[in-house]
mmCIF file of all heavy atoms in Angstrom:
data_model
loop_
_atom_site.group_PDB
_atom_site.id
_atom_site.type_symbol
_atom_site.label_atom_id
_atom_site.label_comp_id
_atom_site.label_asym_id
_atom_site.label_seq_id
_atom_site.Cartn_x
_atom_site.Cartn_y
_atom_site.Cartn_z
ATOM 1 N N ILE A 1 167.136 134.625 169.849
ATOM 2 C CA ILE A 1 165.745 135.264 170.016
ATOM 3 C C ILE A 1 165.218 134.801 171.370
ATOM 4 O O ILE A 1 165.521 133.670 171.881
ATOM 5 C CB ILE A 1 164.869 134.702 168.850
ATOM 6 C CG1 ILE A 1 163.611 135.447 168.958
ATOM 7 C CG2 ILE A 1 164.693 133.255 168.928
ATOM 8 C CD1 ILE A 1 162.700 135.182 167.618
ATOM 9 N N SER A 2 164.460 135.664 172.024
ATOM 10 C CA SER A 2 163.807 135.313 173.250
ATOM 11 C C SER A 2 162.494 136.043 173.377
ATOM 12 O O SER A 2 162.248 137.045 172.758
ATOM 13 C CB SER A 2 164.708 135.730 174.475
ATOM 14 O OG SER A 2 164.966 137.139 174.494
ATOM 15 N N ARG A 3 161.623 135.419 174.231
ATOM 16 C CA ARG A 3 160.341 136.134 174.516
ATOM 17 C C ARG A 3 160.155 136.115 176.001
ATOM 18 O O ARG A 3 160.440 135.041 176.703
ATOM 19 C CB ARG A 3 159.208 135.338 173.859
ATOM 20 C CG ARG A 3 159.222 135.441 172.387
ATOM 21 C CD ARG A 3 158.071 134.711 171.675
ATOM 22 N NE ARG A 3 156.821 135.391 171.996
ATOM 23 C CZ ARG A 3 155.600 134.959 171.628
ATOM 24 N NH1 ARG A 3 155.516 133.929 170.845
ATOM 25 N NH2 ARG A 3 154.474 135.637 172.013
ATOM 26 N N ASP A 4 159.783 137.266 176.521
ATOM 27 C CA ASP A 4 159.489 137.314 177.984
ATOM 28 C C ASP A 4 158.017 137.100 178.326
ATOM 29 O O ASP A 4 157.668 136.691 179.453
ATOM 30 C CB ASP A 4 159.827 138.755 178.462
ATOM 31 C CG ASP A 4 161.233 139.125 178.156
ATOM 32 O OD1 ASP A 4 162.202 138.288 178.583
ATOM 33 O OD2 ASP A 4 161.504 140.185 177.492
ATOM 34 N N ASN A 5 157.140 137.267 177.421
ATOM 35 C CA ASN A 5 155.713 137.072 177.568
ATOM 36 C C ASN A 5 155.069 136.894 176.227
ATOM 37 O O ASN A 5 155.726 136.811 175.141
ATOM 38 C CB ASN A 5 155.086 138.205 178.357
ATOM 39 C CG ASN A 5 155.339 139.584 177.716
ATOM 40 O OD1 ASN A 5 155.058 139.785 176.533
ATOM 41 N ND2 ASN A 5 155.975 140.521 178.467
ATOM 42 N N ALA A 6 153.740 136.808 176.187
ATOM 43 C CA ALA A 6 152.923 136.554 175.040
ATOM 44 C C ALA A 6 152.795 137.785 174.126
ATOM 45 O O ALA A 6 152.247 137.663 172.970
ATOM 46 C CB ALA A 6 151.572 136.030 175.386
ATOM 47 N N LYS A 7 153.383 138.900 174.399
ATOM 48 C CA LYS A 7 153.225 140.109 173.660
ATOM 49 C C LYS A 7 154.516 140.765 173.282
ATOM 50 O O LYS A 7 154.483 141.833 172.707
ATOM 51 C CB LYS A 7 152.367 141.123 174.444
ATOM 52 C CG LYS A 7 151.000 140.712 174.735
ATOM 53 C CD LYS A 7 150.250 141.674 175.627
ATOM 54 C CE LYS A 7 150.131 143.034 175.043
ATOM 55 N NZ LYS A 7 149.214 143.084 173.863
ATOM 56 N N ASN A 8 155.667 140.063 173.456
ATOM 57 C CA ASN A 8 156.957 140.682 173.159
ATOM 58 C C ASN A 8 157.942 139.667 172.526
ATOM 59 O O ASN A 8 157.768 138.448 172.639
ATOM 60 C CB ASN A 8 157.538 141.458 174.272
ATOM 61 C CG ASN A 8 158.505 140.605 175.153
ATOM 62 O OD1 ASN A 8 158.143 139.447 175.481
ATOM 63 N ND2 ASN A 8 159.648 141.139 175.379
ATOM 64 N N VAL A 9 158.962 140.224 171.884
ATOM 65 C CA VAL A 9 160.022 139.373 171.421
ATOM 66 C C VAL A 9 161.313 140.220 171.357
ATOM 67 O O VAL A 9 161.232 141.411 171.039
ATOM 68 C CB VAL A 9 159.727 138.808 170.043
ATOM 69 C CG1 VAL A 9 159.529 139.913 169.000
ATOM 70 C CG2 VAL A 9 160.766 137.797 169.503
ATOM 71 N N ASN A 10 162.476 139.583 171.617
ATOM 72 C CA ASN A 10 163.713 140.270 171.560
ATOM 73 C C ASN A 10 164.653 139.546 170.645
ATOM 74 O O ASN A 10 164.491 138.349 170.266
ATOM 75 C CB ASN A 10 164.390 140.244 172.972
ATOM 76 C CG ASN A 10 163.473 140.857 174.022
ATOM 77 O OD1 ASN A 10 162.997 141.923 173.989
ATOM 78 N ND2 ASN A 10 163.142 140.089 175.065
ATOM 79 N N LEU A 11 165.678 140.250 170.213
ATOM 80 C CA LEU A 11 166.695 139.587 169.290
ATOM 81 C C LEU A 11 168.033 140.233 169.750
ATOM 82 O O LEU A 11 168.331 141.418 169.494
ATOM 83 C CB LEU A 11 166.431 139.879 167.895
ATOM 84 C CG LEU A 11 167.332 139.196 166.877
ATOM 85 C CD1 LEU A 11 167.090 137.720 166.885
ATOM 86 C CD2 LEU A 11 167.203 139.747 165.456
ATOM 87 N N GLN A 12 168.828 139.369 170.493
ATOM 88 C CA GLN A 12 170.150 139.745 170.827
ATOM 89 C C GLN A 12 171.040 139.402 169.686
ATOM 90 O O GLN A 12 171.219 138.309 169.272
ATOM 91 C CB GLN A 12 170.646 139.037 172.127
ATOM 92 C CG GLN A 12 172.067 139.353 172.483
ATOM 93 C CD GLN A 12 172.202 140.816 172.994
ATOM 94 O OE1 GLN A 12 171.386 141.291 173.738
ATOM 95 N NE2 GLN A 12 173.283 141.392 172.495
ATOM 96 N N MET A 13 171.778 140.457 169.126
ATOM 97 C CA MET A 13 172.629 140.287 167.985
ATOM 98 C C MET A 13 174.001 140.561 168.373
ATOM 99 O O MET A 13 174.423 141.711 168.788
ATOM 100 C CB MET A 13 172.146 141.266 166.878
ATOM 101 C CG MET A 13 170.682 141.072 166.483
ATOM 102 S SD MET A 13 170.248 142.093 164.999
ATOM 103 C CE MET A 13 170.515 143.678 165.630
ATOM 104 N N ASN A 14 174.856 139.539 168.225
ATOM 105 C CA ASN A 14 176.294 139.617 168.670
ATOM 106 C C ASN A 14 177.136 139.485 167.333
ATOM 107 O O ASN A 14 176.662 138.801 166.392
ATOM 108 C CB ASN A 14 176.656 138.648 169.722
ATOM 109 C CG ASN A 14 175.995 138.856 170.953
ATOM 110 O OD1 ASN A 14 175.654 140.089 171.378
ATOM 111 N ND2 ASN A 14 175.593 137.841 171.676
ATOM 112 N N ASP A 15 178.386 139.855 167.400
ATOM 113 C CA ASP A 15 179.272 139.723 166.356
ATOM 114 C C ASP A 15 178.677 140.143 165.017
ATOM 115 O O ASP A 15 178.712 139.424 164.003
ATOM 116 C CB ASP A 15 179.794 138.231 166.259
ATOM 117 C CG ASP A 15 180.923 138.060 165.279
ATOM 118 O OD1 ASP A 15 181.731 138.994 165.067
ATOM 119 O OD2 ASP A 15 181.145 136.915 164.799
ATOM 120 N N LEU A 16 178.092 141.335 165.033
ATOM 121 C CA LEU A 16 177.490 141.847 163.773
ATOM 122 C C LEU A 16 178.452 142.015 162.603
ATOM 123 O O LEU A 16 179.635 142.416 162.855
ATOM 124 C CB LEU A 16 176.726 143.154 164.105
ATOM 125 C CG LEU A 16 175.464 142.935 164.931
ATOM 126 C CD1 LEU A 16 175.033 144.259 165.603
ATOM 127 C CD2 LEU A 16 174.361 142.533 163.954
ATOM 128 N N LYS A 17 177.975 141.752 161.463
ATOM 129 C CA LYS A 17 178.694 141.815 160.254
ATOM 130 C C LYS A 17 178.049 142.835 159.275
ATOM 131 O O LYS A 17 176.807 143.043 159.358
ATOM 132 C CB LYS A 17 178.798 140.484 159.508
ATOM 133 C CG LYS A 17 179.459 139.370 160.506
ATOM 134 C CD LYS A 17 179.471 138.066 159.809
ATOM 135 C CE LYS A 17 179.950 137.007 160.773
ATOM 136 N NZ LYS A 17 181.337 137.265 161.216
ATOM 137 N N PRO A 18 178.806 143.441 158.373
ATOM 138 C CA PRO A 18 178.215 144.347 157.429
ATOM 139 C C PRO A 18 177.010 143.779 156.678
ATOM 140 O O PRO A 18 176.041 144.465 156.418
ATOM 141 C CB PRO A 18 179.399 144.635 156.437
ATOM 142 C CG PRO A 18 180.513 144.551 157.344
ATOM 143 C CD PRO A 18 180.296 143.408 158.239
ATOM 144 N N GLU A 19 177.060 142.527 156.314
ATOM 145 C CA GLU A 19 175.895 141.837 155.734
ATOM 146 C C GLU A 19 174.694 141.712 156.488
ATOM 147 O O GLU A 19 173.643 141.317 156.006
ATOM 148 C CB GLU A 19 176.301 140.466 155.061
ATOM 149 C CG GLU A 19 176.969 139.555 156.095
ATOM 150 C CD GLU A 19 178.498 139.574 156.052
ATOM 151 O OE1 GLU A 19 179.080 140.773 155.991
ATOM 152 O OE2 GLU A 19 179.106 138.536 156.190
ATOM 153 N N ASP A 20 174.765 142.013 157.843
ATOM 154 C CA ASP A 20 173.520 142.074 158.631
ATOM 155 C C ASP A 20 172.798 143.351 158.522
ATOM 156 O O ASP A 20 171.717 143.508 159.036
ATOM 157 C CB ASP A 20 173.971 141.893 160.134
ATOM 158 C CG ASP A 20 174.508 140.519 160.410
ATOM 159 O OD1 ASP A 20 173.985 139.467 159.876
ATOM 160 O OD2 ASP A 20 175.466 140.434 161.132
ATOM 161 N N THR A 21 173.404 144.336 157.852
ATOM 162 C CA THR A 21 172.768 145.669 157.587
ATOM 163 C C THR A 21 171.394 145.431 156.911
ATOM 164 O O THR A 21 171.291 144.892 155.804
ATOM 165 C CB THR A 21 173.581 146.601 156.831
ATOM 166 O OG1 THR A 21 174.787 146.809 157.575
ATOM 167 C CG2 THR A 21 172.932 147.847 156.520
ATOM 168 N N ALA A 22 170.359 145.953 157.531
ATOM 169 C CA ALA A 22 168.943 145.815 156.944
ATOM 170 C C ALA A 22 168.046 146.509 157.823
ATOM 171 O O ALA A 22 168.293 146.954 158.963
ATOM 172 C CB ALA A 22 168.601 144.332 156.899
ATOM 173 N N VAL A 23 166.821 146.666 157.355
ATOM 174 C CA VAL A 23 165.631 147.003 158.243
ATOM 175 C C VAL A 23 165.137 145.745 158.855
ATOM 176 O O VAL A 23 164.839 144.822 158.147
ATOM 177 C CB VAL A 23 164.583 147.767 157.401
ATOM 178 C CG1 VAL A 23 163.348 147.937 158.357
ATOM 179 C CG2 VAL A 23 165.054 149.112 156.950
ATOM 180 N N TYR A 24 165.020 145.715 160.110
ATOM 181 C CA TYR A 24 164.533 144.552 160.824
ATOM 182 C C TYR A 24 163.126 144.851 161.275
ATOM 183 O O TYR A 24 162.784 145.866 161.871
ATOM 184 C CB TYR A 24 165.453 144.252 162.105
ATOM 185 C CG TYR A 24 166.734 143.595 161.752
ATOM 186 C CD1 TYR A 24 167.752 144.366 161.064
ATOM 187 C CD2 TYR A 24 166.988 142.321 162.016
ATOM 188 C CE1 TYR A 24 168.931 143.737 160.738
ATOM 189 C CE2 TYR A 24 168.185 141.709 161.697
ATOM 190 C CZ TYR A 24 169.124 142.456 161.063
ATOM 191 O OH TYR A 24 170.292 141.851 160.677
ATOM 192 N N LEU A 25 162.279 143.830 160.850
ATOM 193 C CA LEU A 25 160.837 144.034 161.049
ATOM 194 C C LEU A 25 160.359 142.920 162.076
ATOM 195 O O LEU A 25 160.531 141.744 161.811
ATOM 196 C CB LEU A 25 160.141 143.799 159.683
ATOM 197 C CG LEU A 25 160.425 144.835 158.624
ATOM 198 C CD1 LEU A 25 160.321 144.254 157.276
ATOM 199 C CD2 LEU A 25 159.561 146.042 158.750
ATOM 200 N N CYS A 26 159.604 143.432 163.049
ATOM 201 C CA CYS A 26 158.995 142.503 164.011
ATOM 202 C C CYS A 26 157.661 142.029 163.359
ATOM 203 O O CYS A 26 157.013 142.792 162.755
ATOM 204 C CB CYS A 26 158.807 143.202 165.282
ATOM 205 S SG CYS A 26 157.870 142.316 166.555
ATOM 206 N N TYR A 27 157.335 140.808 163.647
ATOM 207 C CA TYR A 27 156.023 140.291 163.235
ATOM 208 C C TYR A 27 155.490 139.391 164.283
ATOM 209 O O TYR A 27 156.195 138.846 165.148
ATOM 210 C CB TYR A 27 156.038 139.605 161.893
ATOM 211 C CG TYR A 27 156.511 138.203 161.884
ATOM 212 C CD1 TYR A 27 155.473 137.104 161.729
ATOM 213 C CD2 TYR A 27 157.809 137.852 162.003
ATOM 214 C CE1 TYR A 27 155.891 135.884 161.725
ATOM 215 C CE2 TYR A 27 158.264 136.506 162.035
ATOM 216 C CZ TYR A 27 157.249 135.497 161.846
ATOM 217 O OH TYR A 27 157.649 134.192 161.793
ATOM 218 N N ALA A 28 154.163 139.269 164.230
ATOM 219 C CA ALA A 28 153.504 138.432 165.220
ATOM 220 C C ALA A 28 152.259 137.756 164.587
ATOM 221 O O ALA A 28 151.604 138.339 163.594
ATOM 222 C CB ALA A 28 152.919 139.326 166.404
ATOM 223 N N VAL A 29 151.964 136.579 165.096
ATOM 224 C CA VAL A 29 150.861 135.870 164.495
ATOM 225 C C VAL A 29 149.854 135.458 165.686
ATOM 226 O O VAL A 29 150.314 134.923 166.692
ATOM 227 C CB VAL A 29 151.298 134.477 163.830
ATOM 228 C CG1 VAL A 29 150.128 133.796 163.245
ATOM 229 C CG2 VAL A 29 152.397 134.803 162.755
ATOM 230 N N ARG A 30 148.599 135.733 165.432
ATOM 231 C CA ARG A 30 147.622 135.387 166.384
ATOM 232 C C ARG A 30 146.643 134.359 165.837
ATOM 233 O O ARG A 30 146.189 134.576 164.632
ATOM 234 C CB ARG A 30 146.872 136.647 166.823
ATOM 235 C CG ARG A 30 145.938 136.400 168.041
ATOM 236 C CD ARG A 30 145.351 137.717 168.466
ATOM 237 N NE ARG A 30 144.285 138.188 167.601
ATOM 238 C CZ ARG A 30 142.963 137.840 167.674
ATOM 239 N NH1 ARG A 30 142.564 137.038 168.631
ATOM 240 N NH2 ARG A 30 142.145 138.419 166.781
ATOM 241 N N LEU A 31 146.286 133.370 166.552
ATOM 242 C CA LEU A 31 145.316 132.300 166.167
ATOM 243 C C LEU A 31 145.685 131.615 164.866
ATOM 244 O O LEU A 31 144.869 131.148 164.112
ATOM 245 C CB LEU A 31 143.908 132.924 166.024
ATOM 246 C CG LEU A 31 143.415 133.578 167.291
ATOM 247 C CD1 LEU A 31 142.046 134.214 167.079
ATOM 248 C CD2 LEU A 31 143.321 132.570 168.432
ATOM 249 N N GLY A 32 146.972 131.662 164.567
ATOM 250 C CA GLY A 32 147.435 130.927 163.421
ATOM 251 C C GLY A 32 147.214 131.519 162.042
ATOM 252 O O GLY A 32 147.573 131.004 161.043
ATOM 253 N N ARG A 33 146.515 132.680 162.030
ATOM 254 C CA ARG A 33 146.143 133.233 160.717
ATOM 255 C C ARG A 33 146.175 134.770 160.663
ATOM 256 O O ARG A 33 146.104 135.320 159.538
ATOM 257 C CB ARG A 33 144.715 132.789 160.351
ATOM 258 C CG ARG A 33 143.570 133.205 161.276
ATOM 259 C CD ARG A 33 142.359 132.472 160.915
ATOM 260 N NE ARG A 33 141.210 132.867 161.737
ATOM 261 C CZ ARG A 33 140.273 133.830 161.533
ATOM 262 N NH1 ARG A 33 140.409 134.567 160.291
ATOM 263 N NH2 ARG A 33 139.331 134.120 162.377
ATOM 264 N N HIS A 34 146.224 135.376 161.780
ATOM 265 C CA HIS A 34 146.248 136.913 161.752
ATOM 266 C C HIS A 34 147.715 137.345 161.947
ATOM 267 O O HIS A 34 148.299 137.052 162.890
ATOM 268 C CB HIS A 34 145.441 137.457 162.871
ATOM 269 C CG HIS A 34 143.991 137.172 162.806
ATOM 270 N ND1 HIS A 34 143.184 137.660 161.779
ATOM 271 C CD2 HIS A 34 143.203 136.385 163.539
ATOM 272 C CE1 HIS A 34 141.967 137.175 161.939
ATOM 273 N NE2 HIS A 34 141.984 136.390 162.962
ATOM 274 N N VAL A 35 148.267 138.007 160.923
ATOM 275 C CA VAL A 35 149.655 138.361 160.924
ATOM 276 C C VAL A 35 149.801 139.960 160.988
ATOM 277 O O VAL A 35 149.054 140.678 160.258
ATOM 278 C CB VAL A 35 150.408 137.888 159.654
ATOM 279 C CG1 VAL A 35 151.859 138.236 159.675
ATOM 280 C CG2 VAL A 35 150.235 136.405 159.490
ATOM 281 N N TYR A 36 150.680 140.387 161.908
ATOM 282 C CA TYR A 36 150.801 141.757 162.151
ATOM 283 C C TYR A 36 152.283 142.121 161.960
ATOM 284 O O TYR A 36 153.229 141.287 162.239
ATOM 285 C CB TYR A 36 150.380 142.142 163.484
ATOM 286 C CG TYR A 36 148.971 141.679 163.853
ATOM 287 C CD1 TYR A 36 148.762 140.499 164.459
ATOM 288 C CD2 TYR A 36 147.843 142.528 163.546
ATOM 289 C CE1 TYR A 36 147.457 140.120 164.794
ATOM 290 C CE2 TYR A 36 146.607 142.149 163.802
ATOM 291 C CZ TYR A 36 146.356 140.886 164.400
ATOM 292 O OH TYR A 36 145.104 140.448 164.768
ATOM 293 N N TRP A 37 152.631 143.335 161.520
ATOM 294 C CA TRP A 37 153.983 143.735 161.278
ATOM 295 C C TRP A 37 154.254 145.129 161.969
ATOM 296 O O TRP A 37 153.392 145.931 162.015
ATOM 297 C CB TRP A 37 154.220 143.975 159.816
ATOM 298 C CG TRP A 37 154.131 142.669 159.007
ATOM 299 C CD1 TRP A 37 153.093 142.138 158.424
ATOM 300 C CD2 TRP A 37 155.220 141.787 158.713
ATOM 301 N NE1 TRP A 37 153.393 140.980 157.785
ATOM 302 C CE2 TRP A 37 154.698 140.779 157.981
ATOM 303 C CE3 TRP A 37 156.587 141.795 159.112
ATOM 304 C CZ2 TRP A 37 155.467 139.671 157.552
ATOM 305 C CZ3 TRP A 37 157.335 140.719 158.673
ATOM 306 C CH2 TRP A 37 156.780 139.727 157.821
ATOM 307 N N GLY A 38 155.499 145.196 162.440
ATOM 308 C CA GLY A 38 155.947 146.470 162.902
ATOM 309 C C GLY A 38 156.413 147.300 161.806
ATOM 310 O O GLY A 38 156.526 146.861 160.625
ATOM 311 N N GLN A 39 156.830 148.560 162.017
ATOM 312 C CA GLN A 39 157.281 149.494 160.979
ATOM 313 C C GLN A 39 158.737 149.298 160.551
ATOM 314 O O GLN A 39 159.180 149.741 159.581
ATOM 315 C CB GLN A 39 157.036 150.915 161.316
ATOM 316 C CG GLN A 39 157.923 151.432 162.476
ATOM 317 C CD GLN A 39 157.727 152.868 162.807
ATOM 318 O OE1 GLN A 39 157.100 153.576 161.943
ATOM 319 N NE2 GLN A 39 158.153 153.291 163.887
ATOM 320 N N GLY A 40 159.489 148.611 161.499
ATOM 321 C CA GLY A 40 160.886 148.270 161.184
ATOM 322 C C GLY A 40 161.774 149.249 161.923
ATOM 323 O O GLY A 40 161.539 150.302 162.144
ATOM 324 N N THR A 41 163.030 148.711 162.213
ATOM 325 C CA THR A 41 164.016 149.417 162.811
ATOM 326 C C THR A 41 165.316 149.097 162.036
ATOM 327 O O THR A 41 165.669 148.056 161.716
ATOM 328 C CB THR A 41 164.175 149.143 164.283
ATOM 329 O OG1 THR A 41 165.186 150.004 164.966
ATOM 330 C CG2 THR A 41 164.548 147.697 164.540
ATOM 331 N N GLN A 42 166.094 150.256 161.742
ATOM 332 C CA GLN A 42 167.263 150.085 160.916
ATOM 333 C C GLN A 42 168.465 149.563 161.788
ATOM 334 O O GLN A 42 168.748 150.127 162.805
ATOM 335 C CB GLN A 42 167.580 151.500 160.282
ATOM 336 C CG GLN A 42 168.874 151.507 159.404
ATOM 337 C CD GLN A 42 168.743 150.725 158.168
ATOM 338 O OE1 GLN A 42 167.710 150.870 157.480
ATOM 339 N NE2 GLN A 42 169.661 149.828 157.866
#
């Protein structure tokens, strides 16, 4: 996992396995209490 700035996040996934199959959902927290979710990527 890496972040380039305060508004993004990346996930480099190597050696992927069938059990990694899923919808991956980005989330973010602001001020320790506001939680936001992306729609997901398959």
Side-chain angles (χ1 to χ4, degrees):
I1 191 169
S2 63
R3 294 182 66 181
D4 303 306
N5 54 56
K7 295 173 65 65
N8 92 312
V9 63
N10 308 300
L11 187 69
Q12 178 67 45
M13 304 186 295
N14 298 324
D15 192 26
L16 283 160
K17 304 179 184 299
E19 51 263 44
D20 296 317
T21 296
V23 173
Y24 284 70
L25 296 152
C26 176
Y27 82 103
V29 183
R30 188 176 74 90
L31 302 178
R33 63 187 179 97
H34 300 289
V35 183
Y36 308 93
W37 294 92
Q39 67 176 347
T41 184
Q42 178 70 46

